[in-house]
Amino acid sequence: MDVNAALESVVRKSHSRLLALLASASRDISAAEDALAQSYRTAAESWSRDGVPQNPEGWLVRVAKNVMLDRQRSHFYARAESLAGDDEGGTEMTDKGADLLDEERSPDRRLELMFAAAHPALDESIRAPLIMQSILGLEVKEIAPLFCAPVATMAQRLVRAKTKIRDAGIPFSIPERREWPERLEAVLEAVYGAFCAGFEDSFETVEEHRLADRGIEAMYLADLLTALLPNEAEALGLAALISFSASRAAARTTAGRPFVPLEEQDAARWDETLIRRGAMWLERASGFGGFGRFQLEAAIHAVHADRRRTGVTDWNAIAHLYEGLLRVAPTRGVIVARAYVISKVASIDAAMAALNVLDPEDFERFVPGLVCRAHLRERKGNITGAISDLGAAISALAPGPSRSHLEAERSRLASAVS
């Protein structure tokens, strides 16, 4: 067996779970990250010499645990341990490497650890990003755009959160089930963020199209949440939202086009099974009364999905749902999406007015806002302004299908005025 390929496979499939297990035992996420990285380096040497072990994940956990034990003997870790105290097991690492990987004992420990990372002592704004990085394995450069933050800023926030967990002795332990509802919002946001990141990775060519592993994992976690919390309407709403979104995966690219916007997608290519699945989750959620963010977003996607059946989009229904969503979750993304819908049911000027409520400085760094304004400016005949907005959006995006699409749009507009 090729050692590099074997190690790469383990890292790809199990990194986030191994990190979560180590962090739950040590209550020091940064130390767990460093120790796991060291275990990978050790594995590359040891496995080349001795062969790949029968249980590579357990091997990596044991090596990483030993690295952490060695480091705990240093003055720094001794001091950190004293600050954290000795409550509920303190920071002592226990010999549970193999047991923690026993799937029969823990079908998916990540979900429990996600609730642990959403501790009320941490600032609300950092809980979901922390879960996404430490438990779900996303990189800071993937997380930052989802929260409209510069990469360096998000990295600093995550470091501060991990330091607070360690130095303030915040127990990185599994909360009682009765404590889950107050932590649920951050967990749902993290799962959806992971899905969105995986969805962006899921299309490169038509021939190799598939929903990326992370997108599939997010769908699995959302479904697991509905099983564990069957009476939480927002958990059901998230499962519906992800199902509707995933149903369009195959239509997001065509031959010669790296990204196809929703309105231009061939609805016949949408997955009917996933659409029905989303409708089922949404119907269950509606039985609990009230409407939260994820339920309303899922309802919007349900209206879009109905185009597969009717051939038309009910923009008036979508506009009504966005009014409700704006009251529940007045985020920049919702403001921008609502403005675009207003351009469909009212006028370009009304849409511009709705878009202009965003802070001007904030707006210039927000890609969806720039793209929406470019679209509105083009429809008003301001091609130069549209090209400028697209240029700003492109400069803020990493290479990928979305950026390629915007570059093609900018070239199209530039050709029109040349």
Side-chain angles (χ1 to χ4, degrees), residues 138-394:
L138 274 71
E139 297 182 28
V140 177
K141 66 181 180 181
E142 298 172 298
I143 298 169
L146 297 174
F147 295 89
C148 305
V151 173
T153 300
M154 179 58 70
Q156 290 172 353
R157 291 174 183 170
L158 288 165
V159 169
R160 285 197 295 269
K162 295 172 188 178
T163 300
K164 182 174 183 178
I165 289 173
R166 185 194 68 211
D167 291 349
I170 296 173
F172 196 73
S173 56
I174 310 305
E176 296 290 334
R177 188 65 63 87
R178 58 183 171 79
E179 299 177 85
W180 284 25
E182 67 176 338
R183 306 183 184 203
L184 181 60
E185 183 177 354
V187 172
L188 296 179
E189 188 172 12
V191 172
Y192 187 51
F195 173 79
C196 291
F199 206 38
E200 176 67 12
D201 292 341
S202 67
F203 55 99
E204 290 297 338
T205 66
V206 177
E207 295 76 15
E208 298 178 355
H209 176 82
R210 64 185 177 88
L211 188 63
D213 290 342
R214 283 187 305 197
I216 294 171
E217 280 294 294
M219 290 184 68
Y220 159 72
L221 290 170
D223 286 356
L224 184 56
L225 278 166
T226 65
L228 296 173
L229 300 168
N231 298 321
E232 287 288 347
E234 278 291 82
L236 297 167
L238 174 66
L241 174 58
I242 288 179
S243 292
F244 283 127
S245 297
S247 73
R248 300 193 298 269
R252 282 167 60 100
T253 188
T254 61
R257 295 189 70 183
F259 173 74
V260 181
L262 174 57
E263 284 185 72
E264 299 174 31
Q265 290 176 15
D266 179 2
R269 297 182 65 198
W270 293 349
D271 190 313
E272 179 65 24
T273 299
L274 284 173
I275 291 174
R276 288 198 301 267
R277 198 162 176 266
M280 178 269 292
W281 289 126
L282 190 57
E283 183 178 1
R284 289 191 188 181
S286 66
F288 293 98
F291 294 96
R293 168 199 166 188
F294 288 108
Q295 294 170 79
L296 286 165
E297 288 197 40
I300 290 168
H301 282 253
V303 177
H304 280 297
D306 204 40
R307 177 159 70 87
R308 190 179 192 280
R309 180 181 62 85
T310 66
V312 296
T313 300
D314 188 344
W315 289 108
N316 286 310
I318 292 175
H320 177 71
L321 288 167
Y322 266 113
E323 293 301 322
L325 184 57
L326 185 67
R327 291 191 291 272
V328 173
T331 65
R332 283 174 289 189
V334 171
I335 290 170
V336 169
R338 173 177 171 268
Y340 179 78
V341 174
I342 287 174
S343 76
K344 292 289 188 180
V345 301
S347 67
I348 303 298
D349 290 338
M352 280 290 195
L355 197 60
N356 287 339
V357 303
L358 290 171
D359 179 82
E361 292 186 8
D362 216 21
F363 188 91
E364 295 304 323
R365 298 191 299 269
F366 189 46
V367 171
L370 290 165
V371 173
C372 181
R373 191 169 66 183
H375 177 76
L376 297 178
R377 282 177 164 175
E378 179 187 359
R379 288 171 63 184
K380 287 286 287 186
N382 182 1
I383 306 302
T384 301
I387 291 173
S388 175
D389 281 338
L390 288 175
I394 289 167

Side-chain angles (χ1 to χ4, degrees), residues 79-103:
R79 183 171 182 273
E81 184 175 9
S82 68
L83 286 171
D86 199 31
D87 57 304
E88 309 244 331
T91 57
E92 181 183 359
M93 289 291 293
T94 56
D95 190 14
K96 295 182 180 178
D99 290 343
L100 286 170
L101 291 168
D102 185 341
E103 292 294 346

